[in-house]
Every structure is written in structure tokens, then in C-alpha cells.
Amino acid sequence: MIAHRNLGLVAASATLLAAAPLSAIFEHWTWLVQAVIAVAAVAAAAALARLGRTPLWVQVLAMVGGLTLALTWLFPSGGELLAVLPTPATFGHFAELLGNSVEDMRSHGVKVPDTDPLLFVTVLGIGGVAVLVDMLCVGLRRPALAGLPMLAIYSVPVAVYVDSVPPVPFAIGAAGFLWLLVTDNVDRVRRFGRRFTGDGRDVDVWESSPLAAAGRRLAVVGLALAVLVPLAVPGMTAGLMTTLNSGAGSGIGPGFGGSPGRVDLFAALSGQLNQSQVTDLVTVTTTEKEPFYLRFGVADDLRTDGFRVRGPNGRRVTGELPDPSRRSLPGVERTRQRATVQVSRELNMPLLPVYAEPVGFAELGNNWFYDPNLQVVFSNRENSRGKEYSFDYVRSSYSPQALRRAQPLPADLPLRRQQTVTPDVPEVRALVADLVRGARTEYDKVRAIYDYFSEDNGFSYRLSTEQGTSGEAILDFLETKVGYCQQYAAALAWMVRDAGIPARVAFGFTNGSRRSDDTLTLTNRNLHAWTEVYFDQIGWVPFDATPAYGVPGSTRSAWAPDVDAPEESTPQNGTSDTPDETDPSAEAEQGPNQFEEGEDPGALAGSDTPAEQRSRWPWLVAASVLALLVLLAVPALRRLALRRRRGRPAPAVRAVDAPDADPSATGQPVAVVVTDPDRARADAHAAWDELIDTLVDYRVGVDRTETPRATAERLAREPLATQTDAASAARLLGQAEERARYARDPLTGEPLPAALRTVRGALAERAGRRTRLMATVLPPSVLYRWRTAIADTSSRLVASGGQVRRRLLRFSPRRLIASRAGR
């Protein structure tokens, strides 16, 4: 037992050492502290289970139970008993953490912060590996196989790390595995005593045999090859997820790291705008005289705490990209332009600044990808620092008439369902409803909200925002009406979504100072955020609600003019704001929705999240209650099925034609009545089994050692003494079972089902109300039969496990190698 205890402690320690490579993923060491607690709980549960000399499967259940208690204490839901005993709410919380972990994996890049979903998945995985390692090392004494689950931990940073995994954590994990192997071998030597060579010379415990020395040499060579070969082969030093989701950026300008992953673009933007030092970040040369904003990021996942960035997913920029100029719409002008961008070494992020709707890139390799839905260029393995590249893009401009002709998107379209979800803030929805009242088209609704952010309504631009008292950031901004681009962009996108129109926040640069006619220099003061709104058949259209006087290089358009400009600078109602009622082309464009799903890549963005989150708890509670009722009805239904099957015996007496009779003598067919002994015995046994189950259901004692006659007489004397018919029925059932067991000819022709009903009715009258209820709802006979079956199955499993273990113990690779070497 001491050796097992020591080996179990080493197994737990080796598991923690094998988890060392995870330090390359997390920013902090919270995961290690929680993993130590979980692994300690698993090791303690295993040690307690072994003190009772329990079988292996009980030890595994104990370890799983210890891991569950540790997870309950580390990640509570608030409904636990005594802080460690899980409840159904605890497991529901665990399921929620697992679901959220998928989103965090998509949103974050290494190194990741300490979020509860990621910590839960990590601790759960390490704890599960600890259970497997303990079972293989201590239970089955196969420590070499324990390397497989330990290797599974190491595969996680290899799969997600964008650079080469640090070698030191790998060495620590390998040392833990070797420690486990050495401890097991020393324990085996000590159990078998001193070794000898066969030539009369004793061998010290620590002296290795030639076979063991060769094995160690092979292990060292194999480990060296496993480390050196990936370093020598090009392309094997980077992570495997080169084409999967990356984060949305990790830094803008000085002071922000360059490791790819998720970043709060709002916080990065705020930090750069508040810097006193002006830093050149991008130089762009374009064929367009008045370009719009150069963009690099998008936030379109609206939560209660604001907009968040989703990980992009797309195709390589070296392939064919969508070309929106191939589609022509009235009132939409698309021109093809070309730009060359040179990024300074101060801009370090896994995103590239590009103009909207790029159609072709040069000087970029296979490590860069383009997401046509988010319209961003990203990479898992490179960053923007010092990059220089050229690309072709399509510049789109829209007339207000064209935007007014856009029809509402279908309600079941994934884009609309995902991009119109908003938190429940009644004050904002009431304001939006008031602003869009009377607006006939989608564009009119957007313009009504857009025009609200004007100086006439009290809005002003300031880098230092004011704190509100509502507890909601958007309400604070709408109350104080003071902020800069991120507040204006997020508030406009939120309110447009509340109007049922898809919207998101885009990040990039405004137009900077000109070095020449076609070259612009963009600094950290040109960093900006604005809103993009989706219109049917047209795509994402930019709207910048930030006051133009506060944004250097701000650009305004005919469809989104400067609301604070003088009256004469705004388009006249008769020319641009109102569609020409006499224009036949405009009238022809009005009509049913012309959205064709799949035509525009932006229409495929989003998920199946409903526009309004409806509460699922009533349905879950109803389903749980229904499932519980069905589960409780299973024993009663099983008992009823048995009773019906036993109460429908096949006829044991039947008439057949007499083979030797002459029908002509009497003029009538001659039949002979014959009995079926096997059928009669089966009916008697079924009736007796039903009687025994009835006695168990009504709490009447059953003695399995009694003969059927003795049992029938005992029933007739005690519980059925006052009911003559029931006593006679019991004696008849006893006689039928006795004849079926011992007589050559069984009892035939007796109404055994009727006798059973008589006895059951008499026992029901004698029993109390609670006994009758339990006999109907939860029949003890069925429960007893199930308990017996479970016990028998468990015994068979234990016996089979013992046989498998003995066979595994007989298998020795050393003996197999020695036998082959002897040949």
C-alpha cells in the first residue's frame, strides 16, 4: 500500500509537470493554482479508495467524484450545498462555461487572460488527465501508456501557439514522464527483491541490465529526434491553426504588444487618442482623390458591456476575392482604385489597414487571410509591423434614393438575427422608437437616429468623457452627451440595431496630412471609429456620427452629411433627401424585397442567434418535469407489462381430428381433446411468478426455501384466512406450480388468471393506502429485480476486469523481446 501511495503521488506530480507547456498560453498563473487543487483532490480520492481495497472501477469513480467536488468549489454557480456539493444548477453552470469557452477560444489569442470558461476547460482537462494517469500507472501498472494523455496536454499549446512552443516547459513535462517511469521500475524491482544474472553473480538494485540500458538509450535518442526534427523541417515550428480563427488585434502603436490575439480595440483607440506625442503609423498612396477611411478592425458582437470583437475567418489573400463591382445597382457608383500602404514599425498588430472591399493583393504571402464578412485582413503568424503592400479595391458611393429603395431584410436571415441583437435597455428602445416614428424606409430610420447626434441636441466632442449615474454606459453617454468617436460609433450602432437594422462598429484611420497629391500620412491622432449599416442588395454603408470638427481628416458623404454644418451645406429636400415621386425608375425599384441569400458575402455573416432572446427556463422546467414523470412511470409500466404477459396464457387444451375415427358412422366429424404439457407448465410458472411479485408488492413475506404448497397454505392461514375464495385461489396456484415442478402431468384446465385476480384483490383490501400506492407507482418487485440485475452485472464486470488485468500483467514486453532475441 505504501508503494501504491508513493506511485500515486508521483503520478499526480507528473501530471502537473506535464501541464507546464500551458504556461505559454495563459498570461497569469491562476490556471496552475487551480490545477494543483484539482489534481490534489483526484489523488486524495484515489488514496482513500485504495485504503478500502476497492476494485479499480470504484477507484475511478472516486477520482471523478473528487474532481467534481474540486470543480464545484473552484467554479461555483451559487446554488451549491456546503460550498462543495454540486446541485443540478452546478452542472448547468458547467455546461454554460463549456459553451462560453468555445467563444473565448475564437475571440482570444495567446496569451489569453484568466477567463472562467478557459480556466474551467483547462482545469477539467488536467483533472481528467490526472484520473487517466493514476488509473494507468497505479491501477493497471502500465506507466508507459500514461504518456498518451500527458502528451494530449502538450498538444494544446502546439496546436494554438503561433510561434515555436518554448522548450523549457516541454523539458519539464518530459522530466515528469521520465520520473514516472523510473519510479514504477524501482517499485517493481523492490517488490521482486534482488536480481541476478544467471551466472551466479548478484546484481545491485540500481544496476541496470543490458536490455534496460538499451531501452534507456533508445528513449534518449527518440526524445532527441522528437525535439530536433521539427526544428530542422521548415514550417513545423509554428502553430497548426494557420487557417482558423485569430483574434482581432493586439496592439495599436507604441505600448501595445505584438502577439496575435484578442484586444479591446476601444481601449487601444482611447489610449492612442489621449497620447500627447504624435506618431506616424501609416503612409498610404492611392489613385483616389478623396478616399474614405482606411480600416483594419470590426466589432459586431454586442453584449451588455458593449461591442466586442469576433475572431475573423476567411480565405487567403493570394486567392480570388469577391468583386462587388460586378454587380450594378441604380444609384450606386463603384469605381476600381489602387493603393499602396507602408506600415511603420510603431504599428504592431495581426491586422493590416486596407480600404473597404479589396479585390486583390500584392506583396503578401499565404500567411495573410481576408474575411469578406468583416472585410478585414488578418494573420495568425505575422504582424503588420514594417509591412509594405499594394492592393486593388472598389470604392462605392451611394445616393440617398438608392438607400431608400433598399427593402428590410428577411426576419429569418442569419445576418439580421445576429446583427440586430441588443441588450434589454428600455430607455434606449423608447428613444429609438420615438426617433423612427413615421420613418417609411430603412434609410429614413437610420438618418433619424444619425441626425439625433447633433450639436442642436446638445452633443459635443471631447476626449475626456464624463461619468454618469445610470449604471449603463450607453445611458451615461446619452445623458451627458459628451464623448469621442468610440462613444458615438457604438451608440449609433446600438440604436440602429434597436430599430431592427444590422449595424456594427468599424476601426481605422481618417484621412491624414498629404505629402503629395496622392500620398497621405496617418498618425495616431487619425485613429477613428465609425458605424457601418447593412442595406439589402447594397452591403455595409458607413455612417460617421462623431462631430466632424473634433476628428482630423474627417470625411462626410451625401448619404451621411455633417449634421452640424450650416443649413446651406446640407442637401436640399427636393434633390437628395426625398426620392423623386415622378421618377419612373425610382418607382420601378420599389417593391418586394429583392434580397438573394448568398449573392453578397456579407449576408452570410453572423449566426443563428435570435433577434430577441426569449427565456428558455419555462420550457426547460416543463421538459424536466415531463422527463421526471416519464422516469417515475417506468417501473409501473414495466409491472403492468409483466402482469399482462403473464395473464394471457396460451390454451393448454385443444381439439384435433381423430386419426382413426370414421366420420361416416356418425355423420359428424370426430375430434379428440389433447393437452400440451409444456404450455401448461409455462402457464403455471408464469402464474406463480406473478403471485410472488404480488406478495412482494403488498409487503407479504416470501420465503424462497418453501415449497409452493407450503407457501399457499401459509397464505391461506394468515393473510387470506378470512376470505375463503382467496384462500382457495392461493391453494390452486400452489397446486398448479407444484404439479408443474414435480409431476409428470401438469395441472390443466384451471382458471389460473382468475385465481390470481382473486388473490391480488384480497391482498389489496388487506393492505394500507400507502402500500397500495407504492405497489401501483413504484412496485417493489420491479425495483428488487433491477437491483439484483445491477448487482449481477457489477459482479460480472468486476470479474471481467480482473481477468483483463491478469492478462495484461502476464504480458511483458521485456519477456517478448527476450524470447525473440533467444530465437
Side-chain angles (χ1 to χ4, degrees), residues 286-308:
T286 176
T287 57
E288 189 177 1
K289 293 184 178 181
E290 294 295 334
F292 195 68
Y293 300 152
L294 193 71
R295 64 201 304 279
F296 56 76
V298 170
D300 62 354
D301 185 11
L302 181 55
R303 308 281 183 89
T304 55
D305 56 349
F307 279 89
R308 293 187 181 183

Side-chain angles (χ1 to χ4, degrees), residues 370-390:
Y370 175 67
D371 188 330
N373 298 325
L374 301 179
Q375 297 177 336
V376 297
V377 178
F378 65 97
S379 175
N380 286 359
R381 305 175 63 179
E382 298 186 33
N383 56 57
S384 61
R385 188 175 186 179
K387 284 287 183 184
E388 184 174 358
Y389 50 93
S390 301

